[in-house]
Amino acid sequence: MADTNGTVFDIVVLGGGSGGYATALRGAELGLSVALVEGGKLGGTCLHNGCIPTKALLHAAELADNAREGAHVGVHTTLDRIDMTGVNAYKDGVVARLYKGLQGLVKSRKVTVFEGWGKLVAPDAVEVNGERITGRNIVLGTGSYARSLPGLEIGGRVITSDQALQLDYVPKSVVVLGGGVIGSEFASVWKSFGTDVTIIEALPHLVPNEDLALCKAFERAFRKRGINFNLGVRFAGVTQDDAGVHVSLEDGKTFDAELLLVAVGRGPSTAGLGYEDQGLTLDRGFVITNERLHTGVGNIYAVGDIVPGLQLAHRGFAQGIFVAEEIAGLAPVSILESGIPRVTYSDPEVASVGLTEAKAKEIHGDDAVEVLEYNLGGNGKSQILGTTGFVKLVRQKDGPVIGVHMIGARVGELIGEGQLIVNWEAYPEDVASLVHAHPTQNEALGEAFLALAGKPLHAHN
C-alpha cells in the first residue's frame, strides 16, 4: 500500500459534505495541515442533492404562484407553463456557482484534497485509491443517503429526492410517502407547478417533529392549497406499470399516480467504511460520540448526518467548526442540539428553535411553562404579503424563553433572532425592550415578546 511520502497531517477528514468541509476549512484557518477525502463532489448532499437545489425549486414555485395570484394586488399576469428545462438550468446554475466558490475556498486555504472513496483502515489512517493517508486526528463526515422502507425498491416510477431533483417534466400526479421536511417541500413545489399531490404519513401529523400547534396550522394550509394527505396510516405496497404507480395502504385505501416519491428520511452512510473494524460504536448505522463529538477511539471524531440527532447542514457546519477548534486546543463550547434552528421551506414555511410546548412541559412540568401565540394577522408586512400564520413562544414561568415557533410565508428568515433568544436564555422583558423595524415580519417577534412581557401593543392581553 502506498503512502503520502511519510506525510502525517494534523487532520484527515473523510467526507467533503457540510460537516467535513467545515472541519477542513476551520482547521486550515487555524494553521493545521488538513487532508480532505471525497469520492463525489465537494459540498456533499446539501449543495448538490439537498438544501440548495430544493430551495431553488421552491423559489421557482413561489414565482409560479405569484404569477397566478397577481390579480388580487392589481397585477394581471398569466402563467403560460412550467418549463422544467429552464427551471433545471436555473437550479443547476445556482449549484454550479456555489460549487465553484467552495472549490476556490478549499484551494485558497491550502487543504489537500484526495479524490476517491476512502475507508478508515486504522485509528490514524484512511485509505483511498490504494494510498494510505495518515493523520494525528481523523474526522468522519461521510453523510447520509435517501432511505427507503424494507422491501420497497427504488427504481422506475418509484423515486427518492435524488431522482426528483433531476426530473425534466412536471408530473401530473404524485404520491409522496412521508410528510416530514423533504416530503412536504416536494409536495409544495409540485402543487405550485400544477401537480395533483397526495401525502401519506404514518405518524398522526405532517412535519411531526414540530410543535403541535404548528403541525395543525400547517395541515390547514396544505388542505387549503388542495394538497391531499392521509395521516396515521402505514404504507402497504406499490406496483407500477406503464400508466404509473398503484399505492396501497394498510387501511385498504389505494392511490394511483404517475410517481411515488419515497421521502421517509435519510440514513447514515457508514456501511463498509471500516468504522466497526476500528472499534467505533454504531447504533442503527449512526456513529456514537460523546458531547465533544469524540468516538472514544484514538483521536477519531465524527460530524454531521452520521451522528445521531438533527440531520441539518448548519448542524454539520457547526460541528465541523467545533471539532477543528477542539483539535486545535481552543476548548469550544459544546453544541446544544435544542438550540439549533429548524426550517421547512414549503408554502407556508415552518421555522422553530428550542423546545416544543409538549417537550417543555415534559421536562419542566405543566405548571412551570407559559406559552403565547401572536397572530400574523396583526403584522403589517404579513398583511401586505397576504400571509397568515403565527409566532408561538414557550418560556419557563418567570424564566427564560426556551422555544420559538413560527409558521407563515418567509418565516425562515426570522429564525435567526429566535435562535439568539433561545441560546442566550433571554427573558421576554429583555427582548421586549429591543426596537424592531416597521413594517417588517421581524416585527412580529417583537410584538410577541411585548405581549409575553405583559405590555402588548397590537395584540390583546
Side-chain angles (χ1 to χ4, degrees), residues 136 186 311 453:
R136 296 179 181 87
F186 274 101
Q311 292 180 310

Side-chain angles (χ1 to χ4, degrees), residues 89-147:
Y90 151 71
K91 165 179 65 69
D92 294 342
V94 172
V95 171
R97 289 191 294 275
L98 291 171
Y99 179 44
K100 183 178 180 181
L102 177 59
Q103 288 176 303
L105 195 56
V106 167
K107 184 177 181 180
S108 71
R109 298 275 176 91
K110 296 181 170 51
V111 173
T112 303
V113 177
F114 292 85
E115 297 182 359
W117 300 107
K119 180 178 181 179
L120 185 67
V121 293
D124 65 348
V126 168
E127 181 187 349
V128 57
N129 299 328
E131 187 173 13
R132 187 183 183 97
I133 305 165
T134 303
R136 296 179 181 87
N137 300 274
I138 305 292
V139 180
L140 308 175
T142 43
S144 61
Y145 64 93
R147 286 198 302 114

Side-chain angles (χ1 to χ4, degrees), residues 6 152 213 264 399 437:
L152 176 55
V264 293

Side-chain angles (χ1 to χ4, degrees), residues 370 372 374 393 395 427-436 443-461:
E370 183 180 357
L372 179 137
Y374 172 76
L393 306 178
R395 73 174 296 191
Y427 281 62
E429 296 76 15
D430 299 328
V431 185
S433 65
L434 302 176
V435 180
H436 293 74
E443 188 181 16
L445 271 173
E447 293 271 3
F449 279 101
L450 279 169
L452 192 56
K455 46 183 181 181
L457 183 60
H458 295 105
H460 296 291
N461 234 338

Side-chain angles (χ1 to χ4, degrees), residues 47-62:
L47 177 53
H48 300 285
N49 296 299
C51 322
I52 299 301
T54 55
K55 278 52 180 182
L57 290 183
L58 282 155
H59 180 58
E62 181 184 18

